[in-house]
Amino acid sequence: MSEMADAIRELTQDKGFSLDSVKQTIENTLRAAYKRTFGTADNCIVTFADDMSDVTVASRKTIVDGVYDPVTEIELEDAKQLSEECELGDEIDIIVDPKSFDRSAVSVGKQETHKGLNESFKDKLYNEYKDKVGEIIIGYFQREYNGNIYVDLGKVEGVLPKKYQSPREVYQKNDRIKAFIVDLKRISSGLQLVLSRSDPKFVQSILELEVPEIQDKTVEIKKIVRDAGYRTKIAVATTKEDVDPVGSCVGPKGMRIQNVIRELEGEKIDVLRYSDDPVVFIKNALSPAEVNRVVILDDEKKTALAIVSDEQFSVAIGKNGQNVRLANRLCDWSIDVKTEEQAAELDLTEITTRRAQELFSNNAQVESDEISVIADLPGVNQEVAAKLAEAGYDDIEKFIVAYDGGELDSIEGVTAEELEEVSKIIHSNVEFVEEEEKTEDDSESAPSEENSAEEEEEYFCPECGAKITLDMTHCPSCGVEFEFEEDEE
């Protein structure tokens, strides 16, 4: 087998180039040298042997009587010497020895070969790595230049820009580096992978490798926010009630989360439970601080007040405001943290009263054309609904009255948490409206009826919906503080 075949085998087997790309590169090389020698490559014919052991170059010429262009034409008499059967107007291929090409032509051919193989190599690498963006890759520290770290990844080079590095980390020659692929860039030598160790998705990818429950979709990562090198907050939820999403991520004796922390060189990580209820989620998001209560200031603007003890204030704020800042990003709420003493100086009565009016109307009752049976509510636990029906509390209005009055604690087989969940579902799905119907007689005796209505007027806690009275200063159910003011006409 010829040197040609050996070279082709090396390129296809050892270097990983496709046979078609190698053939195309060789053909382009020979055509470039041919053009450099003869001024055109339009009549250059390149043919490969079936076993790729040889390649021939030929000039395709037209047989004429009187040559005008010797590069593309040949006299009939000269053609007859090559083939007796040729005639005027026929085309004939005349073998050309590549060794006859001049030196400049050979140099041009080599340049074309290098360029063609380089482009083919880049395309091959790009196709191999284009689907790896968003994955973890491991390499070794190679060098540092202008703050950027260059990583040896084997076939390709990786670059860890300074802006994507963690301030905790320092590397030495040949140190192992695990990083997240964020982008690909074509460079003169091939392909360069842009890496990151500061991206929140880097933490997510590591956690997914450590926690089987995330891999099988039992536990879901709702959101991750990060101040690289200092603290990361991770909100998790579960699709199964019997699974603790936080415990799954932390692992037995904290082993799983410790492996992640070790990879991040000691960066603090808060794993907390996600909740659709902003009050609960904000409390969780301010972890490790213990929050006494959360007051929603404005639902539309998403502003809230978190009230903590004096001892927990600095923990909730965090160093340079880091903890509350990350909590804001995690919840997408603007959270203001106050101590109990600072909160006492604020007038929260108007806020709590307004929210109570938004949640419930006086003498509220369910409209007749809306859902009235607990079992029909979307998302309700049907086993709990059945037990409530057995106890005579399948009617929504009757359930609310009994729940607010604390009359449901003794129902067998139903926990306080399950009752609370039913109450939340009711207030999320059932519309409460104010009864405004009056008869003519009612309007005539309006003064006495109004006095009666004032005597029978009911109030409800703005936070949990529990029934309250005018002489209360704290909710007996959730403990929220409030006070009542009389309207001045």
Side-chain angles (χ1 to χ4, degrees):
M1 186 172 287
S2 68
E3 294 180 2
M4 169 73 72
D6 291 339
I8 291 175
R9 186 180 66 251
E10 180 183 356
L11 289 171
T12 55
Q13 295 181 4
D14 299 341
K15 300 296 185 181
F17 293 106
S18 68
L19 181 59
D20 288 340
S21 67
V22 173
K23 288 173 65 177
Q24 186 64 51
T25 300
I26 294 173
E27 182 176 343
N28 291 342
T29 300
L30 293 171
R31 289 176 65 86
Y34 183 96
K35 182 177 181 180
R36 183 77 175 182
T37 301
F38 299 105
T40 180
D42 293 343
N43 65 330
C44 178
I45 307 299
V46 179
T47 307
F48 292 90
D50 292 340
D51 60 358
M52 297 298 293
S53 61
D54 198 9
V55 60
T56 59
V57 181
S59 292
R60 180 161 291 175
K61 297 185 178 184
T62 304
I63 301 173
V64 297
D65 184 10
V67 173
Y68 176 75
D69 181 2
V71 175
T72 60
E73 297 173 340
I74 187 173
E75 288 283 358
L76 176 61
E77 182 179 344
D78 294 334
K80 287 282 188 180
Q81 295 178 8
L82 301 174
S83 176
E84 290 291 338
E85 299 177 356
C86 60
E87 298 178 356
L88 287 173
D90 289 347
E91 289 183 334
I92 186 171
D93 291 344
I94 302 173
I95 301 299
V96 178
D97 186 356
K99 294 180 181 179
S100 66
F101 297 158
D102 59 36
R103 285 191 173 183
S104 62
V106 174
S107 176
V108 170
K110 287 182 177 179
Q111 291 176 9
E112 288 296 322
T113 300
H114 180 75
K115 180 180 178 182
L117 290 176
N118 195 26
E119 289 301 320
S120 178
F121 179 67
K122 289 181 183 179
D123 291 341
K124 175 182 174 295
L125 285 179
Y126 187 84
N127 291 330
E128 181 179 346
Y129 284 93
K130 66 180 180 180
D131 295 329
K132 295 185 182 295
V133 174
E135 295 182 4
I136 294 289
I137 196 168
I138 297 175
Y140 295 89
F141 180 93
Q142 195 173 45
R143 69 186 189 280
E144 182 177 352
Y145 181 71
N146 287 339
N148 301 324
I149 294 174
Y150 291 86
V151 184
D152 181 7
L153 300 172
K155 293 182 182 180
V156 296
E157 180 184 64
V159 59
L160 184 59
K162 187 175 182 179
K163 64 179 180 179
Y164 292 154
Q165 298 172 25
S166 170
R168 279 181 179 270
E169 300 164 359
V170 178
Y171 298 101
Q172 303 295 330
K173 183 74 173 178
N174 295 325
D175 279 355
R176 173 183 172 277
I177 297 178
K178 180 185 288 187
F180 182 76
I181 304 174
V182 294
D183 197 11
L184 306 178
K185 291 197 305 184
R186 293 177 184 267
I187 58 176
S188 59
S189 59
L191 192 71
Q192 188 178 71
L193 273 58
V194 182
L195 309 176
S196 174
R197 282 184 58 87
S198 64
D199 196 304
K201 292 180 181 178
F202 175 60
V203 180
Q204 178 172 338
S205 297
I206 297 175
L207 195 62
E208 287 173 351
L209 295 174
E210 294 288 339
V211 183
E213 289 84 353
I214 295 179
Q215 298 174 24
D216 63 21
K217 309 300 183 183
T218 302
V219 172
E220 177 186 2
I221 297 176
K222 286 290 189 178
K223 192 173 181 180
I224 294 182
V225 294
R226 187 181 182 203
D227 190 353
Y230 302 101
R231 185 180 291 277
T232 293
K233 287 184 179 289
I234 308 172
V236 294
T238 181
T239 55
K240 295 183 179 179
E241 295 182 358
D242 58 341
V243 174
D244 176 12
V246 175
S248 298
C249 294
V250 172
K253 298 182 180 180
M255 290 179 59
R256 292 176 178 175
I257 201 65
Q258 283 302 320
N259 289 337
V260 180
I261 293 173
R262 193 176 300 113
E263 179 61 46
L264 301 180
E265 302 290 343
E267 182 176 317
K268 293 183 175 64
I269 299 179
D270 301 327
V271 183
L272 53 100
R273 185 185 290 267
Y274 171 82
S275 176
D276 290 324
D277 185 344
V279 172
V280 176
F281 193 27
I282 290 171
K283 277 187 177 182
N284 296 344
L286 286 169
S287 171
E290 295 180 6
V291 180
N292 294 345
R293 56 195 174 106
V294 173
V295 178
I296 302 299
L297 303 178
D298 193 312
D299 289 282
E300 292 185 1
K301 295 181 180 179
K302 287 191 171 184
T303 57
L305 175 65
I307 302 174
V308 299
S309 64
D310 292 341
E311 296 78 13
Q312 293 293 313
F313 182 74
S314 60
V315 181
I317 295 296
K319 186 176 181 181
N320 298 322
Q322 181 192 77
N323 193 61
V324 69
R325 185 170 61 251
L326 287 175
N328 287 344
R329 289 164 51 193
L330 189 69
C331 300
D332 289 325
W333 279 72
S334 178
I335 306 168
D336 187 15
V337 179
K338 300 287 186 184
T339 64
E340 291 284 1
E341 183 179 350
Q342 291 170 337
E345 298 175 0
L346 303 175
D347 184 10
L348 300 179
T349 305
E350 181 181 349
I351 297 171
T352 54
T353 303
R354 172 174 53 79
R355 285 186 55 79
Q357 292 173 346
E358 292 173 353
L359 293 172
F360 303 102
S361 298
N362 292 334
N363 299 321
Q365 65 180 29
V366 182
E367 289 186 318
S368 60
D369 59 344
E370 298 289 341
I371 298 172
S372 60
V373 180
I374 289 176
D376 293 339
L377 290 167
V380 75
N381 187 319
Q382 292 300 317
E383 293 183 5
V384 174
K387 292 176 182 177
L388 290 172
E390 291 177 5
Y393 294 103
D394 56 335
D395 180 77
I396 289 177
E397 184 177 1
K398 188 174 181 180
F399 172 88
I400 288 295
V401 173
Y403 179 76
D404 292 344
E407 302 172 11
L408 302 180
D409 298 338
S410 60
I411 296 181
E412 185 177 354
V414 181
T415 65
E417 289 77 12
E418 289 172 334
L419 291 173
E420 182 181 0
E421 182 64 24
V422 172
S423 176
K424 288 181 180 179
I425 292 175
I426 289 174
H427 289 97
S428 298
N429 293 276
V430 179
E431 181 182 3
F432 292 85
V433 297
E434 186 176 353
E435 185 179 10
E436 297 180 348
E437 294 183 2
K438 290 184 179 181
T439 63
E440 293 182 1
D441 293 338
D442 289 338
S443 61
E444 291 177 0
S445 57
S448 60
E449 288 295 318
E450 288 176 0
N451 293 335
S452 176
E454 289 177 1
E455 294 175 1
E456 298 176 1
E457 191 170 10
E458 295 181 344
Y459 297 89
F460 300 90
C461 175
E463 292 295 327
C464 66
K467 189 174 181 181
I468 58 178
T469 60
L470 293 173
D471 58 344
M472 292 181 179
T473 58
H474 293 78
C475 175
S477 178
C478 68
V480 68
E481 182 181 355
F482 42 73
E483 63 182 56
F484 298 88
E485 294 181 354
E486 295 183 1
D487 294 334
E488 297 182 1
E489 297 184 357

